[in-house]
Amino acid sequence: MNAINQAVKPAAERAPSYYSASLNFETDYPTLQGSVTVDVAIIGGGFTGIATAVELAERGLKVAVVETNKVGWGASGRNGGQVTGSLSGDEAMRKQMRNTLGDEVDDFIWHLRWRGHEIIKNRVTKYGIDCDLKHGHLHTAMKASHMDELKATYDEALRRGMGEDVTLLDAAGVRAQLSSDLYCGALKNTRNMHLHPLNLCIGEAKAAESLGALIFEHSEVLDIVHGPRPAVVTTGGRIEAKQVLLAGDVYHKLERRKLKGLIFPAMGGIVTTAPLGDLAKEINPQDLAVYDCRFVLDYYRLTADGRLLFGGGCNYSGRDSRDIAGELRPCIERTFPQLKGVQIDYQWSCAMGIVMNRIPQLGKLSSNVWYCQGYSGHGIATTHIMGEIMAKAITGDLEQYDTFAACRHIKVPLGDQLGNPMLAAGMWYYQMLEKLR
Ligand SMILES: Cc1cc2nc3c(=O)[nH]c(=O)nc-3n(C[C@H](O)[C@H](O)[C@H](O)COP(=O)(O)OP(=O)(O)OC[C@H]3O[C@@H](n4cnc5c(N)ncnc54)[C@H](O)[C@@H]3O)c2cc1C
């Protein structure tokens, strides 16, 4: 066995958040004890791990998911809930994948951009998952250069036959959808969605379980044993499998020799106000999810019980801060002056895994041990796309996997020390560019 590379620390319960306060049901999966044998062992009970488990279980494989804390404890259960048609690294992908896909690259990326939406919608329907799923986004512009970008996206959508789903709005058009004077225009997209991510994640876990998947909580994987019959090891147990998938995103510290320096934590903060009553309908009558075009952006939407859920800023030092409500209140009041002094009921933060070139990282650690991570803040749809791609790869269809695995990634030397300062410097540079564009 390799050296155990993580000190055992107590497993965490859910972070306090609006989401954990509005769970459909609390999960109560057992801790891994003793020996278990399955086809595929998955490390991490976020969207990547759980979505892949559903895909594999639907294909008839025996799967076990092992989670340090609770299902949906990480970014999957604490995010903004916006299901966007952006893969984050679209442009970088286009450049790199042209080498393998040639002229098909644009169609490949366009198809993928909406694949996650289909998977989520079908799964919610198929397994009856109650996660407040709704359609409609406004991607808002704060200056003319933002409008140019939105116009280019709009034109592509028209070319691709998506005209019924998109509308380009000027300032007055935005004002008709949203009671805010902050924007000079927006792209409205009714294919994009928003939802309660934690209820989606635990609902999918239940779906996987109904198909025979085993799920273990409060069970930190301390080591992956490589070999013809790989295994994952916790303090109390061991799972032998034909294949292993490492899906711990930025929260795991396994396999440092190969994975160190590839992915870095950025802390995102979110608040939720008290229920707004009639004011909710007044500020956002169409119940749209909204995000702006800046590099470091604000994003918000209403919850099912009429609160404003508002996220923004990002701490690239990798350290948790901070007075999140104090940071975000001015942004809320700037967007909606009507909400001056509004009560904030919940605030929380969470790490998201940032990849330098923004392309999700898929690969192999040995012949039967895979990893999949790094969605740079755009993970709800992308994790579901990757879940499908990884399940196909694990069951022998490598076509899409190979396209991603062939992408080159920057590995930062002394990654754990230098990665976040480099990210912070990069973001500073982009914020300077933001002022100029
Ligand atoms: C504040 C914030 C807002 C965001 N907003 C959005 C949004 O609006 N739209 C969007 O598309 N994306 C958003 N994202 C990004 C998205 O949430 C993530 O990309 C996605 O959830 C990552 O899923 P994951 O399963 O890979 O990782 P996670 O959900 O972080 O799950 C990883 C899991 O692995 C477990 N784990 C780690 N190591 C081990 C181990 N050794 N043994 C066992 N288990 C282990 C962890 O405990 C954790 O539960 C946001 C992220 C943040 C932080």
Side-chain angles (χ1 to χ4, degrees):
M1 191 194 293
N2 297 333
I4 284 178
N5 53 14
Q6 254 183 307
V8 183
K9 43 184 189 302
E13 296 304 321
R14 297 199 183 284
S17 73
Y18 161 75
Y19 295 128
S20 50
S22 53
L23 268 185
N24 290 337
F25 57 90
E26 185 49 282
T27 55
D28 188 20
Y29 294 108
T31 302
L32 176 64
Q33 299 288 344
S35 232
V36 176
T37 303
V38 294
D39 294 317
V40 184
I42 297 177
I43 303 166
F47 282 136
T48 304
I50 296 291
T52 311
V54 175
E55 297 275 355
L56 289 169
E58 284 181 339
R59 289 166 171 76
L61 272 72
K62 184 79 187 166
V63 186
V65 179
V66 195
E67 163 59 47
T68 301
N69 303 295
K70 305 280 287 177
V71 168
W73 172 89
S76 300
R78 286 190 254 172
N79 61 52
Q82 303 205 3
V83 187
T84 61
S86 159
L87 305 164
S88 180
D90 307 39
E91 280 320 307
M93 278 181 208
R94 212 182 299 278
K95 275 192 198 137
Q96 290 214 31
M97 291 178 178
R98 200 168 289 284
N99 298 334
T100 37
L101 297 175
D103 289 342
E104 283 173 31
V105 69
D106 293 325
D107 289 348
F108 178 78
I109 291 174
W110 181 258
H111 168 76
L112 274 195
R113 285 178 67 175
W114 308 106
R115 181 64 195 142
H117 297 56
E118 280 170 44
I119 295 170
I120 292 170
K121 261 199 314 188
N122 291 342
R123 194 159 296 158
V124 163
T125 307
K126 183 171 175 186
Y127 296 102
I129 300 172
D130 178 4
C131 61
D132 310 330
L133 177 61
K134 290 189 183 138
H135 281 266
H137 277 202
L138 274 189
H139 194 181
T140 53
M142 299 173 94
K143 49 178 152 175
S145 59
H146 292 169
M147 255 343 256
D148 296 342
E149 290 164 26
L150 294 180
K151 173 81 169 57
T153 313
Y154 174 71
D155 288 342
E156 183 176 17
L158 292 192
R159 269 200 318 279
R160 298 269 179 184
M162 227 182 96
E164 286 191 359
D165 295 325
V166 287
T167 320
L168 202 58
L169 303 169
D170 60 13
V174 181
R175 199 66 179 71
Q177 311 272 336
L178 206 64
S179 176
S180 172
D181 291 328
L182 205 55
Y183 309 112
C184 61
L187 182 62
K188 183 174 178 181
N189 181 321
T190 52
R191 193 179 286 191
N192 280 332
M193 312 189 293
H194 56 101
L195 46 72
H196 187 307
L198 183 52
N199 277 334
L200 175 62
C201 196
I202 60 170
E204 291 186 280
K206 196 170 166 192
E209 187 190 9
S210 74
L211 298 167
L214 303 172
I215 301 176
F216 300 99
E217 293 183 320
H218 297 137
S219 305
E220 180 178 11
V221 172
L222 302 172
D223 192 25
I224 302 172
V225 183
H226 295 270
R229 195 88 194 145
V232 303
V233 181
T234 66
T235 36
R238 174 188 177 95
I239 303 183
E240 290 205 354
K242 292 177 188 146
Q243 314 207 47
V244 170
L245 170 64
L246 175 51
D249 203 54
V250 79
Y251 276 101
H252 77 83
K253 290 278 175 276
L254 294 160
E255 302 287 331
R256 302 320 289 155
R257 199 171 59 80
K258 285 205 174 146
L259 298 182
K260 192 163 119 180
L262 283 176
I263 180 173
F264 305 96
M267 300 306 296
I270 299 184
V271 298
T272 314
T273 66
L276 297 176
D278 292 343
L279 207 47
K281 271 216 157 54
E282 195 185 307
I283 62 168
N284 186 355
Q286 312 276 339
D287 208 352
L288 301 168
V290 183
Y291 60 108
D292 66 63
C293 286
R294 290 170 302 167
F295 290 118
V296 179
L297 68 157
D298 290 343
Y299 50 96
Y300 53 90
R301 63 189 185 86
L302 296 172
T303 61
D305 59 354
R307 301 164 188 274
L308 180 69
L309 184 147
F310 195 104
C314 228
N315 176 347
Y316 289 89
S317 71
R319 286 186 298 276
D320 209 349
S321 41
R322 83 219 202 221
D323 177 8
I324 297 155
E327 281 175 26
L328 292 182
R329 179 182 289 283
C331 308
I332 293 176
E333 293 180 354
R334 192 167 58 119
T335 313
F336 297 113
Q338 315 84 308
L339 296 186
K340 192 162 180 51
V342 68
Q343 182 181 316
I344 290 182
D345 279 354
Y346 301 96
Q347 58 171 318
W348 67 93
S349 69
C350 187
M352 60 187 94
I354 305 284
V355 172
M356 289 291 177
N357 64 10
R358 301 288 196 267
I359 303 177
Q361 297 171 336
L362 280 57
K364 276 186 160 191
L365 297 159
S366 57
S367 65
N368 43 21
V369 178
W370 314 71
Y371 66 91
C372 179
Q373 62 184 24
Y375 314 100
S376 306
H378 291 255
I380 303 179
T382 319
T383 47
H384 288 80
I385 298 163
M386 294 305 143
E388 182 177 67
I389 293 178
M390 292 313 297
K392 282 186 188 166
I394 286 169
T395 53
D397 173 359
L398 290 161
E399 196 180 338
Q400 290 177 318
Y401 165 85
D402 280 343
T403 303
F404 275 93
C407 290
R408 291 178 309 283
H409 285 279
I410 298 165
K411 196 168 198 288
V412 178
L414 293 176
D416 291 347
Q417 291 86 29
L418 289 186
N420 278 103
M422 278 181 66
L423 260 190
M427 284 322 291
W428 177 83
Y429 169 74
Y430 278 115
Q431 278 174 301
M432 289 299 111
L433 278 188
E434 178 75 62
K435 290 196 168 61
L436 299 175
R437 79 173 166 151

